[in-house]
Amino acid sequence: MAPTHTLTLPDALPEPRGHGLRLRSWDAGSDADAESWLRGFSDPEFQRWNTPLTLWTDLAGARTSLRARARDAGEGRSASFRITDARSGTTLGHVGVNEINPALKRARVGYWVLPEARGRGVATRALLLASRWAFAELGLHRLELDHALGHDVSCRVAERCGYAAEGTMRGAIFEAGRHDRFRDAHLHARLATDAEPPAPAEPA
């Protein structure tokens, strides 16, 4: 009989801290969380580079999406974190460890930052924090990150976080706002055995 591989996440996700940030669980019952989630997905810059499987445009859709994320966490498929400022608690964006494959000890990571929080290294600091957590607490060996060709900002974040560029995947992701057309994506990856990059300086 083939061995089975399962991963059980805790009922309440931990709250990794560091680099001036605190990663917290999203709460579908919170008006503030649902509004931040909606703003992140509605942002034109997010929509330029990302096309979710389900295209929703209101708070009801945001709550449904957050509840689905919570179910995925409960079943060990993914972990979604709200990026917050460690001092003020202000929501800055999102970072997720997705498509967790316990058998291959592999997962995919993704992130976005709210418009008012950009230019402060939030994505880099959050990805470093989430990556460390995924390797140490989930026992993963490989984390993958992909982004649409031309998304140079995301490419730089990946490189700063030690995610080596591995090539171009042809027709790997949806075109902006379309489920019937595809575009190329860059693939980056980091292994648990890779050296951890130095942390960026925290903003004053």
Side-chain angles (χ1 to χ4, degrees), residues 35-72:
E35 288 167 2
S36 294
W37 190 253
L38 176 60
R39 282 207 303 124
F41 276 75
S42 301
D43 177 62
E45 189 66 10
F46 173 88
Q47 294 185 352
R48 178 184 177 191
W49 302 112
N50 302 275
T51 305
L53 282 171
T54 302
L55 303 175
W56 43 267
T57 58
D58 55 22
L59 279 174
R63 293 186 192 281
T64 297
S65 176
L66 285 175
R67 285 193 289 268
R69 293 274 179 158
R71 285 194 299 273
D72 284 347

Side-chain angles (χ1 to χ4, degrees), residues 108 145-152 155 159 165-170 172-173 183-188:
R108 302 181 78 84
L145 182 162
D146 65 65
H147 60 79
L149 203 64
H151 195 348
D152 295 336
C155 207
E159 291 169 349
E166 295 190 343
T168 299
M169 303 185 295
R170 296 178 302 148
I173 61 175
R183 55 183 163 177
D184 296 349
H186 276 168
L187 174 65
H188 299 256

Side-chain angles (χ1 to χ4, degrees), residues 16-171:
R17 298 171 183 246
H19 313 317
L21 303 176
R22 178 181 179 186
L23 305 185
R24 310 182 70 177
S25 297
W26 289 93
D27 179 5
S30 162
D31 290 342
D33 280 17
E35 288 167 2
S36 294
W37 190 253
L38 176 60
R39 282 207 303 124
F41 276 75
S42 301
D43 177 62
E45 189 66 10
F46 173 88
Q47 294 185 352
R48 178 184 177 191
W49 302 112
N50 302 275
T51 305
L53 282 171
T54 302
L55 303 175
W56 43 267
T57 58
D58 55 22
L59 279 174
R63 293 186 192 281
T64 297
S65 176
L66 285 175
R67 285 193 289 268
R69 293 274 179 158
R71 285 194 299 273
D72 284 347
E75 296 172 4
R77 292 193 296 269
S78 70
S80 297
F81 293 103
R82 179 167 59 95
I83 306 169
T84 70
D85 182 275
R87 299 180 186 87
S88 68
T90 301
T91 298
L92 306 174
H94 162 79
V95 63
V97 180
N98 310 308
E99 299 178 33
I100 299 171
N101 185 324
L104 293 177
K105 297 184 180 297
R106 183 173 68 196
R108 302 181 78 84
V109 293
Y111 47 83
W112 49 259
V113 176
L114 291 170
E116 65 271 18
R118 291 175 187 152
R120 295 159 44 191
V122 171
T124 298
R125 291 183 283 138
L127 181 57
L128 285 171
L129 203 54
S131 301
R132 182 191 302 162
W133 174 81
F135 287 134
E137 301 301 325
L138 302 184
L140 299 178
H141 171 66
R142 175 180 168 91
L143 293 174
E144 297 179 348
L145 182 162
D146 65 65
H147 60 79
L149 203 64
H151 195 348
D152 295 336
V153 171
S154 197
C155 207
R156 289 193 294 271
V157 169
E159 291 169 349
R160 285 195 292 265
C161 292
Y163 284 73
E166 295 190 343
T168 299
M169 303 185 295
R170 296 178 302 148

